Amino acid sequence: MPTLDAATTGPLTAVLAQATGYAGVLWVGLALLALGAAIGFGLFRSRSRPYGVGYAREPGRPPTSPRPPTGSAETETSEPRRRGPLSGTAERRAEPASSADGPVARLCEGLYRWLADSEGQAHLWAAFDQLVRELLSEHMGATRVRCYHVRPGLDTLQPIAHQGPSTPTKGPSARDGVLGYAVTTGREYVAAGTGQGPLLENLAAADEEPWEWVWPVRGANDLGPPGDAPPAGPVVGVVAVARLHDAARLTAGLRQTIGRLLAMAWNQVECLERLRVLRRTDPASGVLTRHDFFTLAAHALADSYRENEPVVVAVLALEGLRRLDDTGHWHQRDALIEQLGPVIARRVRSDDLVGRFADDRFVMLLRRLDSALGRLIAEKVLAAATQTVATLDGAQSPVRLRVGLAGSGLQRPALEDLLVRAFRAVEQARASKTWIGTDLSGAAEVGHE
């Protein structure tokens, strides 16, 4: 057998090595091609299956389609995509309320807009009463709506449209009928409700007004969760509806929602009114500031002139008040001002106005009276204020009090003119050494030093 020597095998070995290198490269290429095909096939299968790669369906759970990627053909179709119960919450929150959202959304929008614009309204409760009437008429078909305040210690309800000292008006009983039922129990009344029993039927029959829906309004801290049991706390108001054109549409859930919305707005108005009182009250004396006295007195004067009612302006002057400051009796001075405000307010009537015009001047607007009654009220105010000064500072007090009166008579003078005349009457009383000076017709100066 012939043998191969080194000279022969050298070139053969080189050729075999070169062939082996090409084969290795070929095998590596084929392996990479197969791997790429496998990966591509796997991705294709993952898109055709209802589950993504690595998704393990729970046993017994029906398959669900995965969310298509953004820009896919499904997202571009007009057919809306199915959403879960929490999907799209942010989008729905950002969308403004429209007419398709139902009466509750429109009611919320109306209340919100009114509260946002209520700062400049002169008669807040009267405006709120009108708003409730309009909203319930529009969204509930109510044509006869009444809103009442519930005041502690009073047996009658007070219409919120007539709040204030100028027009004290009493409403129906707070103890009888279905209104009294809502006030005392804190539960709503529905005429179309079932299972009310003979007691409610008898209460409804005793009412002069055939109420169809009565909602008790609770205080801001007593709204509570919805339910059969009323939350603890007093009832501060009542919203009563006598006529509903579409009572069947007023379901229990809609009534609860509308009632609680009205209660929240009601308490917001209450807070705004209290804030107004704080802003217009002089912190030292507890009566109106000069600015708010002018504002409220202008409205009261216009009302009196419209009803052809005479008015009287009275000025209480505190002479010698500066001496308390100069002698270091600041505490006595502050205590005197603090007590004089309530003393004066208690001696005038509920529809009169009292304000602190200056450091040593109190002003009063007395409505619906003649000159004789004006003098009588002025004498009572002067006597009570003098007693207060004597009690606080003794008989040797440097403070002396005088009152000046000016009346409108049959004319209609401006508020500023009445004040100037009242101040002039004080100076005339000082000059004549009397305690009360007046320009009222037929009146004489009262008292002498």
Side-chain angles (χ1 to χ4, degrees):
M1 180 176 182
T3 60
L4 300 175
D5 54 11
T8 306
T9 58
L12 181 59
T13 304
V15 173
L16 291 174
Q18 185 177 6
T20 305
Y22 285 127
V25 173
L26 179 61
W27 281 111
V28 172
L30 291 174
L32 292 176
L33 182 61
L35 180 61
I39 294 176
F41 181 75
L43 292 177
F44 173 78
R45 290 293 304 274
S46 66
R47 288 182 176 272
S48 63
R49 291 180 304 176
Y51 307 102
V53 178
Y55 183 89
R57 180 168 63 89
E58 297 178 3
R61 179 178 176 181
T64 55
S65 300
R67 179 176 295 180
T70 303
S72 64
E74 183 179 345
T75 59
E76 297 173 358
T77 60
S78 59
E79 183 179 357
R81 185 172 66 232
R82 290 187 176 181
R83 294 171 176 256
L86 297 180
S87 63
T89 303
E91 290 83 351
R92 287 197 301 271
R93 253 181 220 163
E95 293 175 355
S98 63
S99 59
D101 294 330
V104 173
R106 296 195 299 272
L107 184 67
C108 286
E109 185 179 3
L111 290 172
Y112 174 78
R113 288 181 177 178
W114 184 87
L115 288 172
D117 299 335
S118 61
E119 182 65 25
Q121 298 182 14
H123 304 284
L124 198 58
W125 280 112
F128 180 70
D129 179 78
Q130 183 64 27
L131 173 74
V132 173
R133 293 169 183 259
E134 294 176 355
L135 291 178
L136 294 187
S137 174
E138 178 182 357
H139 305 303
M140 294 177 58
T143 57
R144 192 169 178 82
V145 180
R146 297 293 182 266
C147 299
Y148 299 104
H149 269 303
V150 179
R151 298 303 188 191
L154 296 181
D155 293 333
T156 57
L157 302 174
Q158 297 186 352
I160 67 172
H162 302 285
Q163 289 301 302
S166 59
T167 53
T169 304
K170 294 182 179 180
S173 173
R175 299 290 181 265
D176 303 328
V178 295
L179 296 179
Y181 167 80
V183 171
T184 55
T185 65
R187 299 179 184 272
E188 70 167 340
Y189 167 78
V190 184
T194 58
Q196 293 183 353
L199 176 59
L200 282 180
E201 294 178 357
N202 294 334
L203 291 177
D207 282 328
E208 297 180 359
E209 190 78 35
W211 303 111
E212 294 192 20
W213 181 53
V214 179
W215 179 265
V217 178
R218 296 187 172 273
N221 297 326
D222 305 312
L223 296 180
D228 294 335
V235 175
V236 298
V238 173
V239 178
V241 178
R243 297 177 184 175
L244 289 172
H245 292 305
D246 193 4
R249 185 169 59 92
L250 192 63
T251 62
L254 185 58
R255 292 196 315 267
Q256 293 281 329
T257 303
I258 292 178
R260 294 183 185 279
L261 285 175
L262 293 177
M264 287 188 289
W266 186 297
N267 285 281
Q268 181 70 14
V269 174
E270 185 73 32
C271 292
L272 290 175
E273 186 65 24
R274 291 180 182 178
L275 181 61
R276 282 188 176 188
V277 173
L278 290 176
R279 286 178 175 176
R280 68 190 182 203
T281 301
D282 175 54
S285 61
V287 297
L288 294 173
T289 64
R290 180 168 64 181
H291 174 270
D292 289 285
F293 176 83
F294 272 106
T295 301
L296 297 179
H299 291 291
L301 196 64
D303 293 341
S304 296
Y305 287 166
R306 186 165 48 252
E307 300 295 333
N308 295 320
E309 298 171 349
V311 299
V312 172
V313 170
V315 174
L316 176 67
L318 283 69
E319 301 175 0
L321 190 65
R322 179 71 178 272
R323 298 178 187 175
L324 294 178
D325 287 333
D326 296 340
T327 56
H329 296 84
W330 307 296
H331 297 294
Q332 291 90 326
R333 175 194 178 281
D334 293 341
L336 177 61
I337 296 298
E338 181 180 356
Q339 294 196 22
L340 276 180
V343 166
I344 298 172
R346 286 194 296 267
R347 296 309 185 278
V348 299
R349 298 163 303 171
S350 60
D351 57 345
D352 298 329
L353 297 176
V354 179
R356 191 181 181 194
F357 189 85
D359 186 58
D360 57 350
R361 294 287 190 274
F362 287 88
V363 291
M364 293 157 277
L365 178 65
L366 311 177
R367 303 180 57 186
R368 301 194 304 273
L369 43 72
D370 54 13
S371 58
L373 184 56
R375 289 195 306 271
L376 178 62
I377 294 178
E379 291 173 2
K380 290 183 177 181
V381 169
L382 181 61
T386 303
Q387 181 63 33
T388 302
V389 173
T391 302
L392 288 177
D393 206 22
Q396 303 301 321
S397 173
V399 179
R400 294 291 182 266
L401 305 179
R402 300 183 197 275
V403 174
L405 298 175
S408 63
L410 300 178
Q411 306 299 320
R412 294 188 176 187
L415 177 63
E416 291 77 6
D417 295 337
L418 290 172
L419 284 170
V420 170
R421 287 163 49 190
F423 282 124
R424 189 182 298 124
V426 171
E427 296 301 324
Q428 293 173 356
R430 181 185 296 110
S432 60
K433 296 183 179 181
T434 56
W435 304 120
I436 297 180
T438 177
D439 69 351
L440 299 179
S441 58
E445 294 175 342
V446 180
H448 292 272
E449 294 185 10

